Amino acid sequence: MLDLTPDRLVYEGKAKQVYRADNADEIVIHYKDDATAFNGVKKAQIADKGVINCKLSAFFMERMGAAGVPTAFLRQIGPRDQLCRKVEIIPVELVVRNVVAGSLAKRLGQPEGAKLARPLLEHFYKSDELNDPQINEEGAVLMGYAKAWELAAMREYSLIVNEQLQAFWGGLGVDLVDFKLEFGRFHGQVVLADEITPDGSRLWERGTGRKLDKDVFRRDLGDLSDTYREVYRRVFGESLPG
Ligand code: TMP
Ligand code: ASP
């Protein structure tokens, strides 16, 4: 079932590899321990990151499916491997923000930390060469990156994901500051794809402001492997085995 021989590798990303599956409508996503930041300029191996993120993303994708958001995720088939629907990735990344942070704070010259009155949705054109420039909906449609109805579905699903994740993290005493989602096309339908992990989210511990996400690596705030083990422990209620 799980065949990760090199001839099956169809795509290698910064944090994941994609392999052909037995069924032509499916792929295997393999989570690596690699961490990158600033579009690959900063790189490191983070012990167990792949195992931790694979399980976290599987957990969250299952919850999103149950909440009515169609997803590409099918099931976890190895410690760092998922069977997923083979989608055509829509080259528009959706960032949902609940709190001012990151590139929003930088772009507008504002400090991080102000709560937004409602979620802010931002769109970015998915392009490593261009460093994912921001784009608005009209631009995305006119450039042919996505149909208007696809963007509408993406926005609607992103808000559901935000509500679900905010409730989940809130229950653990963690504020969901922002996160990035990617969507794909599967048999004419828009489905949530890629991952939901602390690599693509900002998670701040309520009260202390401690960062429980990849900013620990981006900003040299500590050991990312220890941070992700802590996230794992909080989400699953037990330490990562081994
Ligand atoms: P930003 O503030 O840098 O635009 O990031 C917003 C959110 O998107 C943050 O939770 C991290 C996530 N993100 C990614 O998943 N991939 C990226 O390449 C970037 C820049 C951000
Ligand atoms: N994912 C991007 C990179 O690998 C940027 C980031 O997450 O900070 O460089």
Side-chain angles (χ1 to χ4, degrees):
M1 177 84 240
L2 181 54
D3 179 0
L4 302 181
T5 43
D7 64 300
R8 289 203 166 213
L9 182 66
V10 289
Y11 175 79
E12 173 119 30
K14 291 188 284 259
K16 303 191 286 297
Q17 293 173 325
V18 178
Y19 290 86
R20 207 154 17 87
D22 295 329
N23 181 333
D25 247 5
E26 297 170 356
I27 52 163
V28 175
I29 299 188
H30 179 80
Y31 283 70
K32 302 188 288 182
D33 284 343
D34 302 5
T36 67
F38 314 116
N39 202 14
V41 171
K42 183 171 178 176
K43 292 188 195 129
Q45 288 279 114
I46 308 295
D48 296 317
K49 178 167 99 79
V51 172
I52 293 169
N53 276 354
C54 182
K55 191 165 165 186
L56 284 171
S57 195
F59 173 80
F60 287 119
M61 287 295 180
E62 250 165 30
R63 288 179 84 103
M64 297 312 121
V69 177
T71 80
F73 176 77
L74 292 169
R75 63 184 179 276
Q76 187 161 351
I77 55 172
R80 40 176 87 236
D81 307 280
Q82 300 176 355
L83 190 67
C84 293
R85 296 187 172 92
K86 183 180 181 177
V87 304
E88 178 192 3
I89 289 288
I90 296 171
V92 179
E93 301 186 351
L94 242 150
V95 168
V96 183
R97 301 185 186 274
N98 299 306
V99 174
V100 177
S103 71
L104 175 66
K106 204 166 181 183
R107 198 187 315 139
L108 301 181
Q110 294 294 317
E112 295 190 305
K115 172 118 185 58
L116 296 161
R118 57 175 185 276
L120 172 63
L121 299 182
E122 293 183 337
H123 307 74
F124 295 85
Y125 173 47
K126 185 175 161 66
S127 163
D128 280 342
E129 301 84 81
L130 301 175
N131 213 354
D132 298 349
Q134 198 178 7
I135 189 169
N136 65 17
E137 277 187 276
E138 199 175 14
V141 171
L142 292 175
M143 294 302 290
Y145 302 149
K147 306 278 187 215
W149 72 267
E150 291 174 328
L151 292 172
M154 288 163 61
R155 293 173 67 96
E156 184 188 326
Y157 293 149
S158 296
L159 292 174
I160 298 173
V161 172
N162 189 43
E163 276 172 22
Q164 295 290 321
L165 293 180
Q166 267 193 312
F168 178 82
W169 287 113
L172 296 181
V174 173
D175 284 324
L176 177 66
V177 170
D178 57 35
F179 58 95
K180 183 262 293 177
L181 297 178
E182 294 188 27
F183 293 85
R185 304 178 177 107
F186 184 76
H187 294 307
Q189 216 201 351
V190 171
V191 303
L192 178 60
D194 194 44
E195 63 180 62
I196 299 178
T197 66
D199 268 15
S201 317
R202 285 197 173 90
L203 301 162
W204 294 356
E205 185 176 62
R206 207 167 281 166
T208 69
R210 176 181 171 193
K211 291 177 173 48
L212 297 169
D213 57 64
K214 204 170 89 175
D215 271 348
V216 167
F217 171 71
R218 294 190 191 96
R219 303 180 185 188
D220 295 317
L221 302 175
D223 186 308
L224 191 66
S225 186
D226 289 347
T227 304
Y228 279 16
R229 282 165 192 281
E230 177 63 19
V231 172
Y232 182 103
R233 201 183 58 71
R234 292 190 191 194
V235 169
F236 299 114
E238 59 184 31
S239 300
L240 179 71

